[in-house]
Amino acid sequence: MKLFTSVILLTVVAVPALGGQEAKPKLYVGTLDINPPHIATDKSVKYDFDIIYVRAPRHATKPSFAEVGNPRGMEPGSDLMLLHPDGTEEVLVPVKGNEAIVDPYVSFDGKSVYFAKMHDAKNNRGSDIYTIHVPTRKIVQLTRQEYTPNTGAGGSSKRLPGWGVYNLGPCPVPGGKLVFVSDRNGFRATNPGYAPYALALQLFSMDEDGGNVECIGHLNLGMALHPVILKDGRIMFSSLESQGLRSHHLWGIWSIHPDGTQWGPLFSAFEIGNGTANSNHFQTQLSDESIVVENYYNLGNFGFGTYYKFPAQAPNGYPAFGPGYKSDARNTPLRHGRHADGRPIFIQFPFSPAGVEALTPFVLKGDSPSLPADPTRKDSPRVGKFTHPSGAPDNHLLTAWSPGSANTSFASYKPPFDVGIYLIKSGKPIDEPGQMLLIKNDPKYHEQWPRALVPYKRIYGVDEPRRLTPLANDGSLSKHLPEGTPFGLVGTSSLYKRESYPYGVVPAGSVTATFAGKTDPTGYRGFDTSHNWQVQGADAGLYANDDIHAIRIVALEPTTESGSNVRRYYNHARERLRILGEIPVRKFKGETQPLDPDGNPDSSFLAKIPADIAWTFQTLDKNGMVLNIAQTWHQLRPGEIRNDCGGCHAHSQKPTLFEKTAAARPDYTVFDLTKETPLVTTQKLDQSGKKWDLKGETGLRFEKGVKNVEYFRDVKPILERSCTACHSRHQEKPAGKLVLDDNAKVTAQGHGVGSLTVPVTYARLAADATGRWGYKPLNRHGWTDESASRYIRMFQSRRSLLIWKVFGKRMDGWVNEDFPHETIPGDPTSLHYKGKPVPDSPRNRELSQVAYLGSVMPPPEAVAGAYLGPDGKKIKVAPLTDEERLTLVRWIDLGCPIDLEYSPSDPKRSGYGWMCDDKRPTLTLTYPRAGRNEKLTRILVGMHDYFTGLDMDSFSIVADFAIDGVAAGDNLAGKFQSVSEGVWELRLSKPITELPEGKIEVSVLDRQGNTSRIERTFSVGK
């Protein structure tokens, strides 16, 4: 199809200026060619291979494409096609009715294709994974709508979700395995944006025949999409990084080993967008091992965008990423289009991958139509956008591309939205679509998902990717992790080496990022322009490294889909956060602190935690308050050790080696969070007998089991005992216009969930960002900067007025005079700034912040019984204890949890609210291993549950063959002996030396009723 014939591309390059004048910027002017020639016209390209692709019917109405905004969407009637080099083609996998093929992936030998088939793409009724052997056309179904929710948390394995189960994205792995994504666990995705009821697609692995299915993505509580094998053996995938307060648009590219170990970022989701950032999704690798990633805006662009390319590994000796300050030269400016006068449009990403470049720099990013080929003409054809990249022989890149707007506005622009298959030569950047080569474009269809049907070696020079040895869990890595353990070890070398400051820069001679600006017109040190907590950065105010005292490890629990679209709890992260432990990081030799390799006080740590759960970090000060938080999900697999991050978000720096720190020494005491929960406290409550800070002011106490802090059980009693005497609904003028004893239910505005029915007191503290109650915010947007109300900033106790009042001082690193503030709450005419009155102007209102005024609460006079309340009567209240202050601190830093199923008459009842245990037990089967075993001498099982504990009466292990006189099908659990913490073993009196095929099923419940199950198929013999 001829698209546009006028082909002019002029690049105006800057020349040295005369007389010291500034050089003019490089301009991109002229008309872009959007008419790629046919591949047959370019004899330098060896096109002799078949291509498989998905052929979708093309309609005049809005099309449907799978993308991050709706990964379960696809055009009904989409067939899998086989295209030959001579242009002929055949239907490889036909579909019926509303079925649709997605996610094709070629096997390493080039003879088979893995794919997913949506059973009813029109009505969203699930999908399954299949494989077709192309020479024989034999099709095998590998998944069959298996559904494995947490039955103790409201899920039902007998009742599939109304939309079915989605098994998507099959990716072959060396050793006869596949990695794919599935929502079979039935977890509600955390902050999925425009699909609020979506289930989380998690990474799984299975044998290529569909057996030995295992979840390897316990950290995928947002969502994971489209795993792709890299030549070095890692799996890269798209990851929704919406944990905590982060935007639901933030999709990054991560890598992970096929066994679920060693996850890490490749292209992080840090684009500035104020909630409207592009997503990174659809990725491939070229022959030269470069990675190509698509970047696009969700929904309105059908998954079409632009391409970036970067090396799979940074050069030796160089950090893998640029710094957090986006304008740093190490964050390469990437062009994405041009202005009408030819000036380029650039973007820089914080923590850019080393060596990144724009592969299609003429494509405009964002939620908008593509740019005109001729910027001087309103009726000029549009240059289009790209999707579905795929590495091809000779470093070429196959891609789907459509000219036109490639946006929901496609009917208003020319040429029409018509997707075809094209080739980008040699994986090199192109300046216009006309530099591509056309392979296939039938105007009746949208051709997409092109894949070269060739052996892996034809593209990458080797028969298959590197085989990464799975984690053995054999006890050889650490004495703290005996073989078969259900635990792992996590630590780091330094909390000083950090780039958690929002868009900060690391000054020369330092390892800590700080404010990057040359001027500070608002006094806010960049916190007001950085989208702190929403995109990059999660610092809770200003602080120095000397303030760092401890690290908190927080379990992040999923939410099981139970047939209701409403979570039965609430906090600001929309997921349950429970404290596994708080670990002081200061060490002392007498009065001195040993130094780390960077010359700073050693702040390394190492802790033992449950494997196969999601968790994150919070850095704490001496008051137990959050200084910064890692707003992403982490995980360890059984027996895994991760202490190699080299710092705290220190992506642009050379890692500090853990093995050279105090936590790596043999005499370091590893914190075992699987036995008890250490908690920061005051020195007088210390149970450790150790020194944890220079002044000896802090201590450490211990509790059994994880630490929960919840409104009804922990916070409300404190308010009632020490606060409501002055803050009561029964008073005509409650102190501070704040009522803390109103238990009536009200509909409030929760963060990210819309309406929320909670007690009025809770709403006033934790769900009143618009200023519905009490003193009104001066800012037209309400209480800003992650504020849940006048009194609480989400996850930031040290920036919350409530905490300032109970500690009797401002604690966020600023002082009142740094900002315009009301000296009389509720009176904008009392605004002061830097010690002087200032006008009640729109500018001062926008810059205003809540100030700390008055005294500590409850007032000392009230504790003494001499305080006069609002009604003139004397009031006597109980003082707050140090532990009660810490309870309020932890409550805020965990997102202000509230159990919406709490019953005063039965407070111990968990129901399906905050206290519901919605994480199945950790369960691992080390021996026998999947696949071939030389002989079977024992069965080794590891299991643990960090919350409600294991129901050992439910432990079951059944084989389909006789073992030591126990008949096939009988429970072997009674023969197992405990051999170490969390590990049980059955030693066979008669080892099995020959077994062509066997299966063992292991299962155990926690006391909530959630089941973990392993079905292991294997063989024995040489």
Side-chain angles (χ1 to χ4, degrees), residues 136-423:
T136 62
R137 300 300 197 267
K138 181 181 179 182
I139 296 177
V140 178
Q141 184 173 353
L142 303 180
T143 65
R144 298 181 181 276
Q145 293 292 285
E146 296 87 351
Y147 189 47
T148 55
N150 281 341
T151 53
S156 174
S157 58
K158 297 179 181 179
R159 176 188 54 80
L160 292 182
W163 48 86
V165 173
Y166 279 84
N167 300 293
L168 295 164
C171 169
V173 174
K177 306 283 285 186
L178 288 176
V179 170
F180 64 104
V181 298
S182 177
D183 59 12
R184 63 182 58 200
N185 279 344
F187 296 145
R188 292 274 301 279
T190 299
N191 192 18
Y194 298 116
Y197 309 130
L199 299 188
L201 291 158
Q202 298 178 280
L203 287 168
F204 285 79
S205 70
M206 64 179 173
D207 292 345
E208 58 188 3
D209 63 0
N212 287 317
V213 177
E214 178 184 13
C215 180
I216 63 169
H218 301 274
L219 77 172
N220 304 136
L221 297 187
M223 204 171 297
L225 287 172
H226 293 114
V228 174
I229 187 79
L230 294 172
K231 187 177 178 180
D232 61 18
R234 293 177 295 166
I235 299 289
M236 64 174 171
F237 63 98
S238 295
S239 177
L240 175 55
E241 294 300 305
S242 59
Q243 201 280 321
L245 303 182
R246 302 193 74 208
S247 166
H248 64 259
H249 295 81
L250 297 178
W251 286 78
I253 305 298
W254 288 68
S255 69
I256 197 169
H257 285 202
D259 63 353
T261 62
Q262 297 295 315
W263 55 268
L266 290 172
F267 197 137
S268 294
F270 289 134
E271 179 177 344
I272 303 170
N274 195 23
T276 57
N278 275 25
S279 301
N280 297 312
H281 174 227
F282 297 127
Q283 55 276 353
T284 191
Q285 189 171 35
L286 298 175
S287 304
D288 66 4
E289 301 185 34
S290 296
I291 292 171
V292 174
V293 170
E294 185 190 344
N295 181 271
Y296 65 90
Y297 191 87
N298 72 120
L299 289 181
N301 298 273
F302 311 122
F304 284 72
T306 191
Y307 290 150
Y308 300 132
K309 184 177 77 167
F310 56 94
Q313 299 280 359
N316 288 336
Y318 288 86
F321 304 97
Y325 179 49
K326 69 182 183 66
S327 298
D328 191 286
R330 288 169 290 176
N331 292 321
T332 305
L334 301 171
R335 186 166 75 88
H336 62 103
R338 56 181 174 170
H339 296 282
D341 60 2
R343 288 178 298 114
I345 303 172
F346 287 109
I347 188 171
Q348 289 174 275
F349 292 96
F351 299 118
S352 289
V356 67
E357 61 180 321
L359 193 61
T360 53
F362 54 89
V363 176
L364 180 67
K365 285 168 46 64
D367 189 19
S368 58
S370 67
L371 292 173
D374 182 351
T376 66
R377 289 175 48 196
K378 292 183 179 180
D379 63 345
S380 174
R382 300 283 168 149
V383 299
K385 299 179 183 180
F386 296 82
T387 195
H388 300 161
S390 178
D394 304 318
N395 213 54
H396 300 316
L397 179 72
L398 293 176
T399 183
W401 171 75
S402 173
S405 71
N407 177 269
T408 51
S409 62
F410 66 90
S412 302
Y413 297 91
K414 62 180 183 181
F417 187 42
D418 184 8
V419 184
I421 299 172
Y422 299 82
L423 181 141

Side-chain angles (χ1 to χ4, degrees), residues 10 43 115 193 201 229 259 263 349 408 467 494 551 711 724 733 748 800 822 832 857 866 875 900 1018:
L10 299 177
K43 303 305 180 184
F115 61 92
L201 291 158
I229 187 79
D259 63 353
W263 55 268
F349 292 96
T408 51
R467 292 197 182 198
S494 172
I551 193 83
Y711 172 75
T724 57
K733 294 182 179 180
S800 298
E822 293 175 326
H832 276 61
M857 292 292 154
I875 292 174
L900 300 180
F1018 63 99

Side-chain angles (χ1 to χ4, degrees), residues 67 91 96 119 163 181 198 264 327 419 439 472 490 711 856:
E67 48 96 29
V91 178
K96 301 176 183 178
H119 302 303
W163 48 86
V181 298
S327 298
V419 184
I439 294 177
V490 64
Y711 172 75
V856 66

Side-chain angles (χ1 to χ4, degrees), residues 889-927:
V889 164
R890 292 185 179 111
W891 181 61
I892 293 174
D893 290 341
L894 295 178
C896 299
I898 183 170
D899 187 346
L900 300 180
E901 286 206 352
Y902 175 80
S903 172
S905 62
D906 189 8
K908 293 185 178 181
R909 176 182 176 273
S910 65
Y912 297 139
W914 184 265
M915 300 302 291
C916 173
D917 180 356
D918 208 345
K919 184 68 182 80
R920 65 194 65 182
T922 301
L923 180 65
T924 182
L925 177 59
T926 302
Y927 302 115

Side-chain angles (χ1 to χ4, degrees), residues 862-1018:
V863 174
Y867 185 81
L868 296 180
D871 57 2
K873 296 180 180 179
K874 289 186 177 181
I875 292 174
K876 182 175 177 61
V877 299
L880 292 181
T881 66
D882 293 330
E883 280 303 308
E884 287 171 335
R885 292 187 183 93
L886 276 168
T887 293
L888 295 174
V889 164
R890 292 185 179 111
W891 181 61
I892 293 174
D893 290 341
L894 295 178
C896 299
I898 183 170
D899 187 346
L900 300 180
E901 286 206 352
Y902 175 80
S903 172
S905 62
D906 189 8
K908 293 185 178 181
R909 176 182 176 273
S910 65
Y912 297 139
W914 184 265
M915 300 302 291
C916 173
D917 180 356
D918 208 345
K919 184 68 182 80
R920 65 194 65 182
T922 301
L923 180 65
T924 182
L925 177 59
T926 302
Y927 302 115
R929 302 195 183 280
R932 187 182 63 83
N933 298 259
E934 287 193 8
K935 61 181 178 177
L936 181 61
T937 62
R938 56 182 178 147
I939 302 173
L940 194 64
V941 176
M943 48 188 171
H944 175 77
D945 188 82
Y946 70 81
F947 189 13
T948 56
L950 295 171
D951 176 4
M952 289 304 298
D953 290 340
S954 72
F955 177 39
S956 172
I957 181 161
V958 175
D960 67 351
F961 55 94
I963 296 179
D964 274 0
V966 178
D970 289 350
N971 191 357
L972 294 159
K975 288 183 168 290
F976 278 74
Q977 300 292 322
S978 175
V979 293
S980 62
E981 188 69 30
V983 181
W984 283 260
E985 182 186 53
L986 169 61
R987 286 195 172 270
L988 276 61
S989 60
K990 297 180 179 179
I992 296 175
T993 58
E994 193 70 32
L995 183 68
E997 183 177 6
K999 182 169 75 172
I1000 288 178
E1001 296 185 14
V1002 187
S1003 65
V1004 69
L1005 278 71
D1006 60 24
R1007 293 191 179 96
Q1008 180 74 36
N1010 300 313
T1011 305
S1012 287
R1013 179 177 287 103
I1014 295 174
E1015 295 184 2
R1016 175 69 50 82
T1017 57
F1018 63 99

Side-chain angles (χ1 to χ4, degrees), residues 590-911:
E591 296 301 314
T592 62
Q593 298 181 69
L595 302 182
D596 67 15
D598 300 317
N600 297 310
D602 191 291
S603 55
S604 61
F605 77 93
L606 189 62
K608 183 178 178 180
I609 66 172
D612 288 354
I613 69 169
W615 48 270
T616 195
F617 293 121
Q618 295 179 337
T619 304
L620 309 180
D621 65 12
K622 290 196 300 182
N623 297 305
M625 299 181 191
V626 162
L627 295 172
N628 62 57
I629 182 173
Q631 288 192 111
T632 192
W633 296 277
H634 307 64
Q635 72 174 32
L636 291 173
R637 297 308 315 277
E640 184 179 10
I641 301 174
R642 290 302 303 270
N643 52 29
D644 57 349
C645 63
C648 185
H649 304 283
H651 303 298
S652 72
Q653 303 181 65
K654 184 178 179 180
T656 300
L657 297 179
F658 180 82
E659 54 264 33
K660 295 185 178 181
T661 65
R665 291 173 53 90
D667 59 352
Y668 178 81
T669 301
V670 173
F671 285 84
D672 190 346
L673 308 190
T674 69
K675 292 183 177 180
E676 58 185 2
T677 301
L679 297 168
V680 169
T681 189
T682 57
Q683 196 280 328
K684 66 181 179 181
L685 296 178
D686 178 65
Q687 298 173 342
S688 69
K690 295 183 179 181
K691 180 182 178 70
W692 299 113
D693 67 279
L694 281 171
K695 296 181 180 180
E697 297 172 330
T698 63
L700 198 64
R701 66 181 185 87
F702 302 89
E703 290 188 6
K704 288 292 183 183
V706 293
K707 178 69 173 178
N708 281 289
V709 186
E710 188 272 331
Y711 172 75
F712 286 111
R713 295 169 175 84
D714 303 294
V715 174
K716 185 171 177 281
I718 295 174
L719 301 179
E720 290 175 342
R721 187 173 62 254
S722 298
C723 304
T724 57
C726 297
H727 298 276
S728 174
R729 70 188 188 281
H730 301 297
Q731 296 160 342
E732 183 179 351
K733 294 182 179 180
K737 292 188 175 182
L738 176 63
V739 171
L740 295 176
D741 64 351
D742 193 340
N743 297 318
K745 295 295 180 67
V746 66
T747 300
Q749 184 71 36
H751 175 72
V753 298
S755 62
L756 178 72
T757 302
V758 292
V760 172
T761 294
Y762 178 89
R764 295 185 74 142
L765 291 176
D768 188 31
T770 59
R772 178 176 172 183
W773 293 279
Y775 296 124
K776 302 303 178 184
L778 296 184
N779 193 298
R780 58 193 168 95
H781 299 296
W783 303 109
T784 57
D785 303 318
E786 309 91 49
S787 291
S789 71
R790 170 180 171 82
Y791 302 96
I792 288 176
R793 289 184 191 258
M794 295 180 282
F795 294 104
Q796 302 175 67
S797 60
R798 70 190 300 266
R799 298 188 69 195
S800 298
L801 179 59
L802 176 64
I803 299 304
W804 301 347
K805 296 300 288 184
V806 300
F807 277 81
K809 58 183 176 180
R810 185 166 186 149
M811 309 184 76
D812 63 351
W814 283 284
V815 297
N816 289 345
E817 298 305 326
D818 286 332
F819 311 103
H821 63 280
E822 293 175 326
T823 55
I824 302 174
D827 182 2
T829 65
S830 70
L831 279 171
H832 276 61
Y833 180 42
K834 295 186 176 180
K836 297 179 181 180
V838 293
D840 176 18
S841 65
R843 174 65 173 168
N844 286 331
R845 280 176 171 254
E846 294 298 296
L847 294 177
S848 67
Q849 295 290 323
V850 173
Y852 171 73
L853 304 170
S855 66
V856 66
M857 292 292 154
E861 300 92 331
V863 174
Y867 185 81
L868 296 180
D871 57 2
K873 296 180 180 179
K874 289 186 177 181
I875 292 174
K876 182 175 177 61
V877 299
L880 292 181
T881 66
D882 293 330
E883 280 303 308
E884 287 171 335
R885 292 187 183 93
L886 276 168
T887 293
L888 295 174
V889 164
R890 292 185 179 111
W891 181 61
I892 293 174
D893 290 341
L894 295 178
C896 299
I898 183 170
D899 187 346
L900 300 180
E901 286 206 352
Y902 175 80
S903 172
S905 62
D906 189 8
K908 293 185 178 181
R909 176 182 176 273
S910 65

